[in-house]
Amino acid sequence: MFFLIKRLMRLRRERQVRVAEDGSASVSQDGPSAAARGPLAMVLHEAAYDLRISLRSPRARLMGIIFPIVLLVIFIGVFGNEHTLVDGSRVSLKVFYVPGILAMSIVVNAYASLVISISGLRETGVLKRRRATPVPAAVLIAGQALATVVNTAITAAILLVVARIFYGVTFAGPALAGVACTTLVGTLAFASIGYAVSGMIGSQEAAQPTVQMTMLPLWFISGVFIPISNLSPALRDLADVFPVQHLSNSLHLASVHASFSASISATDMLVLAVWALGAGAFCAWRFSWLPAGASR
Amino acid sequence: MTAAAPARTLMGMFTNSLDAAVAAADAGRPEPVVRVQGLVKRYGEHEAVRGIDLEVHRGEIFAFLGPNGAGKTTTVEILEGFRQASDGSVWVLGQDPWQAPGSWRARLGIVLQESGAEPGLTTRECVALYAGYYPSPRNIDETLALVGLSEQADERAAKLSGGQRRRLDVALALIGDPELIFLDEPTTGFDPSARRAAWEVVDGLRRLGKTIFLTTHYMDEAERLADRIAVIAAGRIVAEGTPQTLGGRQLEATRITFMLGAAADLQTLPPALAQRLARDDDGLLRLPSTSVTADLHALSGWALERGLELESLEVSRPTLEDVYLQLTSGE
């Protein structure tokens, strides 16, 4: 699907080039700039380019799209015939792994990719150069967040289609709406945490290990790889403190319930929101657009 | 607190009216684009910038020279609003950079000393992204042509050569159609042909009437590009002037150097020349001169009479490099 999008984009570009060659003037007229069209246009402008940057990044594609699909195939292949309990219902592990891996892909796209790309952009001075322009910080953040939402939406759609076609795992219509809401809230929360964590990292090299160390253990105790009913109560209590468990729990609910209200957990959304606000407050205090070591 | 507030307001009114009076007195002269008075920047105990004054006028190319660690980049980043001054007053385009609003940034173009490429974007997309940040940007294709990157418009920016990347940086600084452009060491690490190409870009900016604040540690670059130069060493301005007059360069003696065959008898030289003449270990004769035409006439007349050849004859002024090394070695 991604390659289809890429191919369409290339076709469109080729057509634009042909049009440019037909027109005798080599200078194309630019319309009014995004900044001239207002804040919303600026956010869309920023998001379009941020999305392009992440779609063209081989790392982001591999980590955010291919890796979750590979894990889904492996987990279902190995454990697909076993069963577990989700919110009181006995379900096949096939059904368990779809929302689990979906939660993982949201964390990877919104948190891991963002931490790595932001610390890279900051350390190479790209963020500083963007801040040297009149663009408001809020536009850069909102644009980045919007691009991330589109990114996770694409990945989630691919995962759900794969689950349906190859494993016959389906969601009821209202439950899909629940998945969409949880995905949106989860993406924004993890993006916010991503900004905060990237503010704690001094160098681009530290980004990758920091991301792995914070994500991996949580996947094991938050119902992503292993049903939480298999965990000790102490581990479950520990997982409850962190946001991954709340994202995955809400997505699991959608896999066993048909109505919208039962397929999304208000408590979990609240916990995610608290994490997002906490991370936002940390950013306001600590986040810097300038490379580490640049003292003011 | 509450009692102090009105007093502060009064003070503010007073200084404002004082500023107004000064402005009225200066009405004949246009307001400088950059005005710095008594700028100090401290990092803990260390004073990186120790009270400097600078003025840059509209349409001028101003070069700010100094060795590494002299306070050059600190000063520039204060002018750009990235760092806060510890003391002194800084006005750039009529605003204090540390508190200036976004609309002020739209009048400014900044080429940072180091900045990576936007990953994944083509050259043209990079410029289009930045064009969206400004209320009335320049035309994208024209700007690419101005910096000589039309051919590379559809190449990934990350794949451009070092010189091309730097020209893209200039295009990104230029796209907002700024009045004032900061170029922080724009050609460091360039090969000679890339430097020449970069200089031509700066010539292009000069023709557009832009004011340019350039930092560099290459003397030939400052000499070739700048209308005015200030030299900073150990946080202080040690000299200011045009490339021709910096550090009293125009007053320094010109050097006439030449060599003579063994047959020449220096005793027969006119005494006025003989007493100034010095011989190097390698046989080169040096004659410092403040009246070059007369001295050359006397010297060549003397040589012609005796059928001598003044080998390797050279007349040279002290280079800007000589002046610079002299100015910055004192610290």
Side-chain angles (χ1 to χ4, degrees), chain A:
Chain A
M1 176 164 164
F2 175 73
F3 298 100
L4 193 72
I5 296 173
K6 196 171 173 181
R7 186 158 173 76
L8 280 174
M9 278 168 72
R10 185 178 305 143
L11 278 175
R12 198 174 134 238
R13 202 159 52 229
E14 277 164 11
R15 201 167 60 232
Q16 281 174 341
V17 171
R18 269 202 301 281
V19 169
E21 279 164 2
D22 289 347
S24 49
S26 64
V27 173
S28 64
Q29 287 306 308
D30 312 325
S33 77
R37 283 179 286 129
L40 184 64
M42 270 182 107
V43 170
L44 293 175
H45 175 81
E46 181 65 34
Y49 281 93
D50 281 339
L51 190 61
R52 217 178 290 199
I53 289 172
S54 79
L55 288 178
R56 284 180 192 168
S57 152
R59 178 188 48 72
R61 267 188 338 238
L62 199 68
M63 272 179 61
I65 301 178
I66 298 170
F67 183 50
I69 294 175
V70 168
L71 282 186
L72 183 70
V73 171
I74 290 175
F75 276 115
I76 292 184
V78 176
F79 303 112
N81 294 325
E82 291 169 32
H83 291 78
T84 185
L85 282 180
V86 172
D87 202 27
S89 312
R90 187 179 141 84
V91 295
S92 149
L93 277 181
K94 276 185 207 164
V95 176
F96 169 81
Y97 277 121
V98 173
I101 298 294
L102 185 56
M104 186 203 107
S105 79
I106 292 169
V107 176
V108 167
N109 276 301
Y111 170 74
S113 285
L114 210 58
V115 170
I116 293 170
S117 102
I118 289 176
S119 34
L121 291 180
R122 191 185 52 215
E123 293 315 307
T124 54
V126 173
L127 288 186
K128 183 179 182 182
R129 188 175 55 204
R130 289 189 186 176
R131 291 295 286 139
T133 72
V135 71
V139 165
L140 290 178
I141 292 169
Q144 183 79 263
L146 183 57
T148 308
V149 167
V150 174
N151 238 329
T152 43
I154 293 173
T155 315
I158 295 174
L159 274 174
L160 290 176
V161 167
V162 168
R164 183 183 200 115
I165 294 177
F166 294 99
Y167 303 109
V169 177
T170 56
F171 289 77
L176 272 183
V179 167
C181 287
T182 304
T183 302
L184 180 66
V185 174
T187 302
L188 294 177
F190 278 97
S192 177
I193 298 168
Y195 260 93
V197 170
S198 76
M200 299 181 207
I201 295 174
S203 76
Q204 197 176 355
E205 270 146 52
Q208 190 88 34
T210 306
V211 156
Q212 301 294 9
M213 262 177 51
T214 47
M215 281 189 320
L216 260 178
L218 288 180
W219 287 345
F220 283 101
I221 63 171
S222 304
V224 169
F225 296 158
I226 304 164
I228 51 167
S229 48
N230 298 10
L231 301 176
S232 71
L235 274 181
R236 259 182 278 175
D237 290 345
L238 180 66
D240 260 347
V241 177
F242 295 100
V244 180
Q245 150 68 16
H246 298 278
L247 175 66
S248 102
N249 184 57
S250 193
L251 291 171
H252 278 301
L253 291 181
S255 69
V256 293
H257 295 292
S259 74
F260 178 78
S261 60
S263 60
I264 182 166
S265 153
T267 320
D268 289 337
M269 295 303 100
L270 202 66
V271 174
L272 287 176
V274 169
W275 268 91
L277 289 178
F282 180 85
C283 289
W285 173 54
R286 247 330 274 282
F287 188 80
S288 168
W289 302 93
L290 311 187
S295 45
R296 295 198 290 188

Side-chain angles (χ1 to χ4, degrees), chain B:
Chain B
M1 256 334 257
T2 41
R8 243 197 330 267
T9 319
L10 258 173
M11 281 289 284
M13 281 167 59
F14 173 71
T15 39
N16 281 347
S17 61
L18 190 69
D19 283 349
V22 172
D26 282 357
R29 288 184 303 164
E31 175 73 4
V33 176
V34 176
R35 195 214 307 253
V36 173
Q37 278 162 350
L39 172 64
V40 174
K41 177 65 184 178
R42 281 180 222 101
Y43 298 112
E45 294 286 288
H46 173 65
E47 257 190 4
V49 179
R50 305 173 170 184
I52 64 169
D53 300 332
L54 288 176
E55 263 189 27
V56 180
H57 301 279
R58 197 162 289 279
E60 187 171 59
I61 298 189
F62 181 84
F64 196 44
L65 284 178
N68 290 332
K72 233 174 358 174
T73 296
T74 298
T75 305
V76 174
E77 295 208 330
I78 288 171
L79 299 184
E80 292 168 347
F82 285 120
R83 291 168 198 252
Q84 191 175 14
S86 308
D87 210 345
S89 73
V90 178
W91 295 99
V92 175
L93 296 170
Q95 298 266 1
D96 172 2
W98 187 246
Q99 291 169 351
S103 57
W104 173 80
R105 292 217 159 268
R107 298 166 62 197
L108 217 67
I110 297 179
V111 176
L112 298 170
Q113 200 174 100
E114 271 176 79
S115 45
E118 302 282 336
L121 296 185
T122 68
T123 306
R124 192 178 194 285
E125 283 169 343
C126 284
V127 180
L129 170 63
Y130 280 68
Y133 294 158
Y134 293 91
S136 48
R138 295 170 49 86
N139 183 280
I140 294 166
D141 292 323
E142 272 174 16
T143 306
L144 283 173
L146 183 73
V147 299
L149 284 177
S150 299
E151 302 254 311
Q152 288 77 25
D154 292 323
E155 280 176 33
R156 290 283 168 93
K159 297 203 172 128
L160 297 178
S161 73
Q164 290 170 338
R165 272 262 278 287
R166 215 65 184 122
R167 278 187 273 155
L168 175 56
D169 287 342
V170 174
L172 296 180
L174 204 57
I175 190 66
D177 203 14
E179 297 163 46
L180 169 64
I181 300 170
F182 287 100
L183 299 172
D184 200 359
E185 298 189 4
T187 64
T188 297
F190 277 22
D191 65 37
S193 72
R195 290 181 70 201
R196 260 172 220 289
W199 291 353
E200 274 158 29
V201 170
V202 176
D203 284 333
L205 301 185
R206 186 203 306 271
R207 280 193 294 274
L208 292 174
K210 306 292 184 194
T211 309
I212 296 174
F213 192 106
L214 169 88
T215 75
T216 181
H217 44 227
Y218 296 121
M219 299 320 107
D220 53 343
E221 184 160 292
E223 183 158 30
R224 163 78 166 65
L225 296 175
D227 299 316
R228 223 149 47 76
I229 298 174
V231 179
I232 186 171
R236 288 203 175 84
I237 303 281
V238 291
E240 206 179 334
T242 66
Q244 289 73 38
T245 63
L246 189 77
R249 184 182 171 201
Q250 80 284 11
L251 304 175
E252 296 230 348
T254 299
R255 267 194 324 240
I256 300 170
T257 55
F258 56 96
M259 296 177 94
L260 284 172
D265 181 7
L266 288 176
Q267 302 303 322
T268 60
L269 262 176
L273 296 183
Q275 58 187 227
R276 274 184 281 145
L277 200 65
R279 185 195 283 271
D280 272 4
D281 292 342
D282 49 4
L284 191 71
L285 293 155
R286 292 172 184 279
L287 181 71
S289 166
T290 45
S291 48
V292 180
T293 319
D295 283 348
L296 268 182
H297 185 78
L299 185 65
S300 58
W302 170 81
L304 279 175
E305 271 176 30
R306 286 160 187 79
L308 295 169
E309 179 59 36
L310 297 169
E311 286 160 37
S312 314
L313 176 66
E314 256 182 39
V315 179
S316 58
R317 301 260 318 271
T319 66
L320 198 55
E321 187 117 24
D322 297 334
V323 176
Y324 171 75
L325 289 175
Q326 212 177 312
L327 284 169
T328 53
S329 65
E331 294 291 329

